[in-house]
Every structure is written in C-alpha cells, then in structure tokens.
Amino acid sequence: MASCLAGNACPDLKLDTCPRLQIARMNLLCKRFPPIYKSSQDVLHIAINDVISRTRSTTAHVITTRKKQHCSAAVWKNCDIPTKCLNYSHTMKQNCHTFSQRSSSNCYKFSTQFNRTLIFRNQFERLSYGVHSCQQERNISFKTSAIVDAMPSKTQPYLQLIRFDKPIGTWLLYLPCAWSIAMAANPGSFPSFYYLGVCGLGALLMRGAGCTINDMWDKDFDKSVARTRTRPIASGEISRFQALVFLGAQLSAALAILSTFNTYSIIIGASSMALVVTYPLMKRITFWPQAFLGLAMNWGILVGWSAIQGSCDWSVVLPLFASGICWTIVYDTIYGHQDKSDDLTLGLKSTSILMGDKTKYWLSGFGTTMIGNLLLAGYMCDQTLPYYLAVGLVAGHLSSQIWTLDINDPDDCWKKFSSNKRLGLILLAGIIAGTLGQVDKEEAKKENAMKL
C-alpha cells in the first residue's frame, strides 16, 4: 500500500485501478469528517446508487471503444460486468464498515463528498457503459428523473435529449413569459391561468427543441467535454436523422399551441425560430452568445403580453424584455464557467471567457441594469407596492448570487445558476400581487363621478 500511495507501480494493476490505493485514499478521506448518526450501510447504498445513476446505454461502437481502452480482447471476452459490480460493492461495504468504526456519523455528508472524488469516478466510468442489469437500482432525486427512469429504454434517450430530467432550463424559458402574462392582466385580477398553462407547455416543447438543435450543431464539441459527452447525440444513442425527425415533432406540437393565439402573437412567436436555430453558432463567432440566448429565452415576454392584450405596449414590454436579457446574461455566464477550460481548448467563445476574473464586476453591471428596467416597467404599468418589494428581493438575490460566486468551482456555479428559478418565481409572485393591488382607472373615474 505504501508503494501505491507513493505513486510506484502496482504489481497487479495500473495505479488508477489499484484497489489498495482506493482503500487507502478512502480511509484518508474518512478521517476528515466528524461523527454523526448515519450508518455505513447508508454510505454504501448512496454510493452504489450514485454509480448506477451515471449508467447510460450506448451503441456497440462506443462500447467497443471502451473495451479497447481498458481491456485486452481476451480479458474483455471473459469479463463479467455484473460480477465486477458485486465485487466492488463488497469492497465498498468493507471500506464503509472500517469507516463506521472510526466515525459513526455524518455519513451522508461523507458520501456526498466521496461521490465527487476521482476514486469513485475512475472505477465506475468504465463500468457505466456496460452495466445494464443494475439500472433498476438507480437513485431517484427528483420527480422528473423518476419519470425518465420509469420510461421504456428506447424512450429515455429522447427525454434526456430534451433535458427532461433537468427542468431548470424550462423554468428559465417559461418565467419571463409568465411575467408578461401576469403584468398584462387587468388591474385587480389574477393572470389568465389558461395562458399560463399553455405557455408552460409551449416552453417545455421549445426548450426541448432548442436542446435538440444545440446538440445537433455541437455533436463533435460535446464529445470532447466531460460534462456533455454522454448526451444522446454525442454518445451515438440517437442519430442526427432521428434527432431531426424528433425536432419536427416538437416544433409541430409547439406550432399547434401557438395557432390558438391571435394573429399578432403567432407572427411574433414564429419569428423566434431564427434565434433558436442560430444561437448555437454564436459561440463560434462572438464572445457574446449569452446575449443572443437572452433574446431567445425572453422572446416569450412579447408573446405573453400580446396574447393577453392583442398587441405589445412597448413602453412596458421593452423594459421588461431588456431586464430579461440582462438576467439571462447573468445566469448563463455563471453557467458557462463550468466549461470554460474545455471551451478554451476547443476554441469556443463565451462571456465567461471574456469576463474572466472580472466576472463579478461585469455581472453587477448587468444585474443593476436588470433592476433598473424592472423598476421602469413597473412604473409604466402602474404597479403597486408588492411589486416593488419583490424587485427589492430580486436585487438582494442577485447581489448574493454574484458576490458569493466561486467561478472556479463548477458545483457552486451550478448551484447559483439553479437558484435563478427561485428568483424568477419571487418576481412572478410580486407581479401578481402588485396587479391585484391595482385599481382600474376607468372604474375609479366612474366611482368618483357617482360620488360627485
């Protein structure tokens, strides 16, 4: 073991697969955590389930490639993947038992930390392409993930293609549209629940279509990025032709929903397709692809307002639209810091790369512009106190998001990015409450006239 820890050659296996090295590293990691209440069995369960959740079906070509990398032809022929799973889980159980003798608590915290270590990733990244018998044991952490897991195996790649198991993108597309629907409601009234519902379904479809187009454009790039190489098109589970047919189905369903709107809204909605198709190309030619994404993600503001009012009141819609674009630049720049090293290697561009270490100052400027435009939109729409209180909360949320951000920590970037769903819901609640507090000017005039 000492020779393994020192980096010397292991007599049986390569250094990165040496079980003694893994046990030693794990034991060293165990010492870092104080005692808590969970048992070692929980650590084993969480760890193994996390492995299984990474499992993805792949084509024969991908599996063959993995074989060549990690096994000789003779070894692979006799290789029994399920047996490897059981053997490794037995080793994990023994390790966890040793850990529980040293520390009988905070196993959940330990397992979360352990799942992020190279020990765990190196051992099961190879097996994840071959383990099929264990897929029913997947750890379910969110409802949409449960839906994906419950679907037939042939359906799952398509749900993964539209990021159905990661709904944050759908929320970020839907919320600006919901803002405009709520702000366009009659004074003292709730927003139209019908339009909130159909626009939500439309957001799901268009987000899926956008992801499909993006992955079709970026297939070769995605293969070279650790975070995206298992996407269905990049991994070969779905061909470009199959993705194109699926894209046609999504756009047809979205068009069917849009056709129920008025003519003005149909024209505006259909015009967004130019942005959806060209956005993935922007990262190849400009450092500001996030600005183009902002146009696409917030186009629903125009559609939502015109669906309610029949046309756009630009004195309200333009400030709201501008604030949405600034918001998108903020959260997608944070998101982009997860992949900046890969983007630099591939020659791709983004605001994350452009802003670099000055990201917080840039984002503070865009955040301030967002808040200013929200205040202007509220003023032009005669919003009331609840709206302005919500804008204040949004400002605080943005400030906390930006100034506590660690741009070199992908986990923190994802956490901050995902928190924008909460920001959008805060603003939506403020718009609804502020609109309910409004007084219809025409009715107020009539009441005043009757009093006189």
Side-chain angles (χ1 to χ4, degrees):
M1 184 182 298
S3 64
C4 290
L5 288 173
N8 299 328
C10 178
D12 299 319
L13 297 170
K14 292 182 179 180
L15 180 61
D16 63 341
T17 61
C18 176
R20 292 182 294 169
L21 174 62
Q22 294 173 357
I23 294 170
R25 286 177 175 172
M26 182 176 177
N27 289 338
L28 289 174
L29 185 61
C30 292
K31 296 178 182 179
R32 296 173 54 191
F33 299 98
I36 43 155
Y37 58 91
K38 292 282 183 180
S39 69
S40 60
Q41 297 296 329
D42 293 325
V43 178
L44 175 63
H45 179 72
I46 293 170
I48 296 302
N49 276 341
D50 185 77
V51 174
I52 305 292
S53 70
R54 297 173 186 273
T55 303
R56 293 290 183 271
S57 300
T58 60
T59 61
H61 173 72
V62 176
I63 296 175
T64 302
T65 302
R66 303 297 293 189
K67 293 176 187 176
K68 291 179 180 179
Q69 291 177 351
H70 301 290
C71 304
S72 66
V75 172
W76 182 266
K77 183 177 181 181
N78 299 320
C79 182
D80 187 353
I81 295 298
T83 302
K84 283 191 174 183
C85 278
L86 293 174
N87 291 340
Y88 189 74
S89 65
H90 179 68
T91 302
M92 288 287 294
K93 184 176 181 180
Q94 291 178 335
N95 294 343
C96 291
H97 178 68
T98 302
F99 166 72
S100 65
Q101 292 177 342
R102 299 179 181 181
S103 168
S104 60
S105 59
N106 210 2
C107 288
Y108 177 78
K109 181 178 179 181
F110 161 75
S111 67
T112 302
Q113 186 72 13
F114 180 70
N115 288 342
R116 296 173 183 168
T117 63
L118 188 60
I119 304 169
F120 198 78
R121 290 176 181 267
N122 285 348
Q123 181 68 20
F124 273 92
E125 189 179 14
R126 296 178 307 226
L127 299 181
S128 65
Y129 289 88
V131 181
H132 301 292
S133 61
C134 300
Q135 288 189 3
Q136 296 178 354
E137 306 272 344
R138 289 178 181 173
N139 184 33
I140 297 172
S141 59
F142 195 74
K143 291 182 180 178
T144 53
S145 298
I147 294 173
V148 173
D149 287 342
M151 291 294 167
S153 58
K154 291 184 179 180
T155 306
Q156 290 181 14
Y158 291 95
L159 294 176
Q160 292 160 5
L161 177 61
I162 65 173
R163 320 286 199 271
F164 189 83
D165 53 338
K166 298 176 181 177
I168 179 63
T170 303
W171 279 107
L172 295 177
L173 179 62
Y174 171 66
L175 284 167
C177 184
W179 296 346
S180 66
I181 291 173
M183 197 171 279
N186 292 326
S189 302
F190 281 99
S192 169
F193 293 106
Y194 169 76
Y195 281 107
L196 286 175
V198 295
C199 285
L201 181 57
L204 176 64
L205 291 168
M206 288 306 297
R207 191 266 179 129
C211 290
T212 304
I213 293 171
N214 182 79
D215 289 4
M216 290 173 69
W217 280 116
D218 291 350
K219 177 181 179 179
D220 295 331
F221 290 131
D222 286 345
K223 290 179 180 179
S224 303
V225 179
R227 188 178 57 84
T228 61
R229 66 188 175 199
T230 58
R231 287 178 176 175
I233 296 179
S235 66
E237 291 182 88
I238 297 176
S239 68
R240 275 185 169 143
F241 178 75
Q242 290 173 318
L244 183 62
V245 173
F246 184 49
L247 174 63
Q250 293 176 83
L251 293 178
S252 298
L255 181 61
I257 292 174
L258 185 61
S259 64
T260 63
F261 291 17
N262 57 61
T263 303
Y264 189 98
S265 299
I266 293 174
I267 294 173
I268 290 180
S271 64
S272 68
M273 277 307 302
L275 293 168
V276 175
V277 172
T278 59
Y279 157 68
L281 299 175
M282 294 299 109
K283 67 186 76 173
R284 296 162 170 82
I285 61 177
T286 177
F287 280 104
W288 292 94
Q290 280 74 13
F292 286 87
L293 179 65
L295 293 172
M297 294 291 287
N298 294 279
W299 204 258
I301 290 175
L302 312 182
V303 177
W305 186 283
S306 62
I308 301 299
Q309 297 290 343
S311 62
C312 287
D313 181 351
W314 298 107
S315 65
V316 178
V317 172
L318 280 181
L320 190 62
F321 188 49
S323 67
I325 293 173
C326 291
W327 183 43
T328 301
I329 292 174
V330 170
Y331 67 65
D332 203 59
T333 298
I334 293 173
Y335 182 86
H337 274 290
Q338 297 178 99
D339 303 324
K340 58 188 176 184
S341 59
D342 291 315
D343 289 345
L344 284 169
T345 302
L346 296 170
L348 299 178
K349 302 174 182 179
S350 70
T351 52
S352 306
I353 295 172
L354 176 67
M355 297 175 187
D357 293 336
K358 297 182 179 179
T359 292
K360 294 184 179 182
Y361 299 102
W362 279 90
L363 297 189
S364 295
F366 283 110
T368 302
T369 305
M370 175 188 176
I371 298 302
N373 277 287
L374 286 176
L375 292 173
L376 178 58
Y379 174 77
M380 299 304 297
C381 196
D382 296 323
Q383 278 291 339
T384 56
L385 181 61
Y387 172 81
Y388 295 103
L389 291 175
V391 172
L393 292 175
V394 167
H397 191 292
L398 270 179
S399 178
S400 173
Q401 215 183 123
I402 293 169
W403 289 101
T404 62
L405 172 68
D406 182 356
I407 61 174
N408 297 314
D409 182 358
D411 290 336
D412 188 57
C413 290
W414 175 259
K415 180 181 177 181
K416 297 297 193 300
F417 167 75
S418 301
S419 71
N420 282 279
K421 170 188 171 182
R422 184 164 57 251
L423 183 152
L425 290 172
I426 290 171
L427 183 58
L428 177 60
I431 294 173
I432 294 173
T435 303
L436 288 173
Q438 288 178 329
V439 177
D440 192 318
K441 293 181 178 179
E442 295 298 327
E443 291 185 2
K445 288 180 180 179
K446 290 180 181 180
E447 290 179 2
N448 291 333
M450 291 179 64
K451 289 180 181 179
L452 294 174

